[in-house]
Amino acid sequence: MDKGQIRELIAKRVAKEFNDGDVVNLGIGLPTLVANYLPDDIDVLLQSENGFVGLGPAPEEGKEDKDIANAGAQPVTILPGGAFFNSAESFTIIRGGHVDATVLGALQVDAKGNLANWMIPGKMVPGMGGAMDLVVGAKKVIIAMEHTQKGNHKILKECTLPLTAANQVNLIITEMAVIEVTSDGLILREIGPEATIEDIKAATGADLIVADDVKKMEI
Amino acid sequence: MKKLVSIEKAISHIEDGMTIMIGGFLAVGTPEKIIDALVEKGVNNLTIIANDTSFVDKGLGKLIANKQAKKVIASHIGTNKETGRQMTEGETEVILVPQGTLAEQVRSAGAGLGGFLTPTGLGTIVEEGKDKIVIDGQTYLLEKPLKADVALIHATVVDEKGNCYHAKATKNFNSLMATAADVVIVEAEKIVPVGELDPDMVNTPSLFVDYIVEGDK
């Protein structure tokens, strides 16, 4: 798989995690792609932390509205039934447990559900934006990322980078695997189309418990 | 009281060393003309409180690029390389705050609260130096309110009394910051006579606004 196919596979698999009526926040980057694959038979309300729900696709060229952008400053649209609000209300929604699921990328994620995705000391310090609130406040935290970074492990026993939040991650979805974070450790639930259990173990820097009913990833 | 003034008159209230809040989210709904006037005027050693530092050539990013800030309190600086450079080289102090915490700090100041308790940042470097308080078995960080000398906000429509409507996704920090500063200056895309802005559309009531300046459409 090339990079584009890997991203598409991950986005498609993440899109199957939602239920009818869910409020979902998608992070910038790969998670944004998930919006393209939401099932037609369920109603998912996408939240944009800069202040609205009902986030729609990018507008046609020339039809951009200067007052509607996503949290990454890209022009977007708002769907019928959407609503705008200020930043305090936006984080009332986020921190108050009114977001059913948030999907974010990661630099590192570990067996305890710790997440590091906001800085590399001395190299990259963009700031956490809304990520710390989202990870703490959302009912379900899904990490959508490539399994490794240039062959280096991203799923670890313990994160070494500064954390975004402690013990909050529920599910890790990569092109190789779907892994659930539990108090017993990381449980391998699904295997990617081109991976074997041995490949996944080798590409993971933490112990994996293979679920009794482990299955092939369906997308 | 006549609130509609020239930009020059409005920014005469901004002096070196002041703490200013600036509304907007990556320059969406930001008082662009007031920022340009501040760049021109050249007030320095500002402490800037804002969601982000925008882009190097847009919004309050221009104040950063012009080295007018000694300190920045924001949730995100990644879109403005100059902020990162100044931070790394020790020219500007940057305090990064989770976005929800920043919004609530501003809201708390405006609402007369002494702070609030949040789970955000627990177990991360955000908790360093902060008190932890346990309520019903759950641990929270104590976060303090954030006030400013001046708030610079943007509104889509403002009536001559100062009532503001912030369209669509421009609400962001604008209505919050209007409550948390000694002097509040709003840059209006459109100014209408009193009575023409439907009270049902008002996001920021006039009592929070001190000065109105005319901005671009």
Side-chain angles (χ1 to χ4, degrees), chain A residues 106-117 154-165 169:
Chain A
L107 295 165
Q108 297 177 337
V109 55
D110 74 24
K112 291 177 187 147
N114 295 324
L115 168 67
N117 75 349
K154 296 180 74 176
I155 305 170
L156 305 171
K157 278 196 179 69
E158 204 161 350
C159 292
T160 55
L161 292 169
L163 296 186
T164 305
V169 176

Side-chain angles (χ1 to χ4, degrees), chain A residues 65-67 87 95 126 129 133, chain B residues 75 77 99-100 120 168 189:
Chain A
D65 182 330
K66 69 175 174 51
D67 294 337
S87 293
R95 209 193 303 99
D133 300 280
Chain B
S75 79
I77 60 166
Q99 202 166 97
T120 303
K168 302 170 188 171
E189 282 185 26

